[in-house]
Amino acid sequence: MMGTVDEHREKVRGLVTPLPVASEALLGCHGLCLDQDVTATVPVPAFDCSAMDGFAVRRTDLAEMPCTLPVDGEVPAGAAPLSPAPGHAVRIMTGARLPDGCDVVIPVEHTDARPGAGPVPPQVTITRFDGRGHIRTAGEDVRIGDTVLKAGTRLSATHLAAAAATGLVRLPVRRRPLVAVVTTGDELSAPGVQLGSAQIPDSNSVLVAGLLQELGAEVSGVHHAGDETASLDAQLAALSPTPDLVVTTGGVSVGSHDVVQAWAATSPSAHVELGHVAMQPGRPQGWGHVDIAGKRVPIICLPGNPVAVHVGLHLFVRAALDELAGAPDSRRFLCCVAGTEFPARAGITRMVDVVLDGTIALPAPGGHGSHRIGTLHQCDGLAIITAPVARGDQIQVLLTR
Ligand SMILES: Nc1nc2c(c(=O)[nH]1)N[C@H]1C(S)=C(S)[C@@H](COP(=O)(O)OP(=O)(O)OC[C@H]3O[C@@H](n4cnc5c(N)ncnc54)[C@H](O)[C@@H]3O)O[C@H]1N2
Ligand code: MOO
């Protein structure tokens, strides 16, 4: 009996357990998962400040237009604030702390002053006041004590910028998982090596390594084994440092040279099950553990077809990485409108590469087929087809970028 996609995701998730938590400097946190809620120690904005380059004044001094006020000096961003006398102005720059007593900033364009660099004028004539203060109030975006980021968040650049802006320096995160990649097959040639007449470039190595990094993992190495079990055994045994997870591609089917199949059946270090998931592409899958340097290391064995590898990474490897990070399911789905009909296959979940035009899902321009790696990059997601879909029907799309 074939397992479903969700059943297989659970099996793969169950291979691993969350990694330890450590306090990490912000620059090292990209792609990692936050372990606890964190709260702001600095508000955003940090203080009342100007949103414009111009002149800080008191609203009560603007009853008549135009009006001319003496200028008491200048506050660039980063400078200590001044305290102008009532009826006076201060030249101020965007982001500078608002001088005491001032409650309006007049943009320089609404004065007779020359924009840009130059000496502070002794006085300024304000030619226009539209009622707007052009002031950013302390804490209007985030207040001290507000929860900035929630536990389980996969940290992106904007998350880390929020942490930095609110005064956080280090974050409690799960350690970055170390993942080794092993591609298999005698037909594969490393990048830059002259291709033999029946050889193809190894594209799975860069596909797996790249996507692992996009998903927040560190790739400990990319290795290649030929079609002999001894070659695969040797590559796995040599993995150092010992990774948290191994991902292999190829050799899981029923061919006479399918090395992962043979290795799983014969190698004492292999504790791997091979089976079928009711999906297409990516039907044959392997999962289990491999003994490396006295440690039992989780291993996911994806099939060789590159489009099946892509699907397997998003569905299964991602599930393991989420669990290692102690995070919930990180996949993102979009409810889309089918731009064409998508036939179904009884008892099988079809994962169909689609291009999104807004929320309209169109089939991959290169057509479908689990070998079509040359045009896969044009696609935005995988439509999940479990029943026949007519044009205009709603479908769920798993976003892949
Ligand atoms: N008689 C059957 N044949 C096949 C079945 C089946 O049920 N019965 N299943 C098909 C399906 S579905 C898949 S998926 C593949 C999976 O096969 P393997 O995991 O054994 O993969 P390979 O045979 O090693 O390779 C398949 C295909 O992918 C190319 N490949 C492999 N590795 C790479 C790489 N690193 N970079 C680029 N391309 C790679 C390889 O050259 C093959 O063309 O089995 C079907 N057959
Ligand atoms: O399941 Mo295989 O991936 O169709 O090519």
Side-chain angles (χ1 to χ4, degrees):
M1 195 188 105
M2 280 194 282
T4 66
V5 169
D6 285 343
E7 284 165 357
H8 193 62
R9 276 177 55 81
E10 281 314 303
K11 277 185 198 158
V12 165
R13 221 181 146 112
L15 292 175
V16 298
T17 50
L19 291 167
V21 178
S23 164
E24 191 70 49
L26 293 187
L27 281 176
C29 287
H30 193 267
L32 294 181
C33 224
L34 192 65
D35 181 56
Q36 293 161 23
D37 291 3
V38 288
T39 52
T41 60
V42 169
V44 180
F47 38 76
D48 292 351
C49 61
S50 175
M52 291 286 196
D53 298 325
F55 292 84
V57 297
R58 289 172 173 79
R59 193 175 283 266
T60 48
D61 292 332
L62 301 176
E64 287 180 17
M65 275 302 117
C67 71
T68 301
L69 305 175
V71 178
D72 279 3
E74 177 179 59
V75 229
L82 300 172
S83 301
H88 289 223
V90 162
R91 189 161 78 169
I92 193 163
M93 301 300 132
T94 305
R97 192 167 184 138
L98 196 67
D100 291 342
C102 294
D103 52 6
V104 169
V105 171
I106 304 293
V108 65
E109 297 89 334
H110 299 172
T111 72
D112 66 344
R114 198 187 277 267
V120 180
Q123 61 178 41
V124 62
T125 296
I126 295 164
T127 53
R128 202 174 127 200
F129 175 48
D130 59 11
R132 288 193 292 160
H134 298 294
I135 287 168
R136 299 170 180 157
T137 310
E140 70 180 25
D141 189 25
V142 181
R143 289 162 305 171
I144 289 180
D146 281 355
T147 299
V148 185
L149 301 171
K150 288 195 172 295
T153 302
R154 178 80 66 178
L155 297 163
S156 68
T158 49
H159 294 122
L160 295 173
T166 53
L168 303 171
V169 178
R170 303 181 75 84
L171 294 175
V173 285
R174 297 271 170 197
R175 171 169 78 62
R176 197 177 293 280
L178 199 58
V179 185
V181 181
V182 183
T183 61
T184 67
D186 277 351
E187 75 278 29
L188 302 178
S189 177
V193 175
Q194 178 70 38
L195 292 178
S197 64
Q199 282 194 305
I200 59 164
D202 180 352
S203 58
N204 285 347
S205 53
V206 286
L207 175 63
V208 179
L211 205 52
L212 284 170
Q213 288 172 72
E214 286 175 24
L215 295 174
E218 179 179 346
V219 176
S220 62
V222 176
H223 311 270
H224 177 252
D227 284 344
E228 302 298 320
T229 55
S231 166
L232 181 54
D233 250 335
Q235 289 296 332
L236 291 167
L239 294 180
S240 177
T242 305
D244 301 304
L245 176 69
V246 178
V247 177
T248 68
T249 70
V252 295
S253 191
V254 290
S256 51
H257 293 259
D258 278 337
V259 64
V260 173
Q261 208 29 277
W263 170 78
T266 58
S267 171
S269 68
H271 313 279
V272 168
E273 263 188 81
L274 292 149
H276 287 151
V277 179
M279 61 186 268
Q280 216 281 319
R283 203 169 72 105
Q285 298 285 337
W287 67 99
H289 293 88
V290 50
D291 294 329
I292 302 172
K295 235 182 115 184
R296 204 150 266 208
V297 179
I299 184 167
I300 299 174
C301 304
L302 300 174
N305 278 319
V307 176
V309 170
H310 183 245
V311 171
L313 283 162
H314 280 286
L315 289 179
F316 307 129
V317 175
R318 188 174 193 137
L321 294 178
D322 284 345
E323 184 65 21
L324 284 166
D329 184 358
S330 64
R331 291 174 302 169
R332 291 181 306 132
F333 295 93
L334 192 64
C335 186
C336 293
V337 177
T340 182
E341 63 177 30
F342 290 93
R345 275 184 58 191
I348 296 280
T349 299
R350 291 186 64 216
M351 304 293 300
V352 182
D353 290 302
V354 289
V355 173
L356 297 182
D357 178 3
T359 54
I360 299 176
L362 298 161
H368 297 294
S370 50
H371 59 297
R372 291 183 177 267
I373 189 63
T375 46
L376 180 67
H377 65 93
Q378 297 170 6
C379 298
D380 301 298
L382 290 158
I384 303 164
I385 309 295
T386 53
V389 170
R391 185 169 175 206
D393 283 356
Q394 290 210 327
I395 49 172
Q396 283 291 103
V397 172
L398 166 59
L399 299 176
T400 52
R401 63 176 176 192

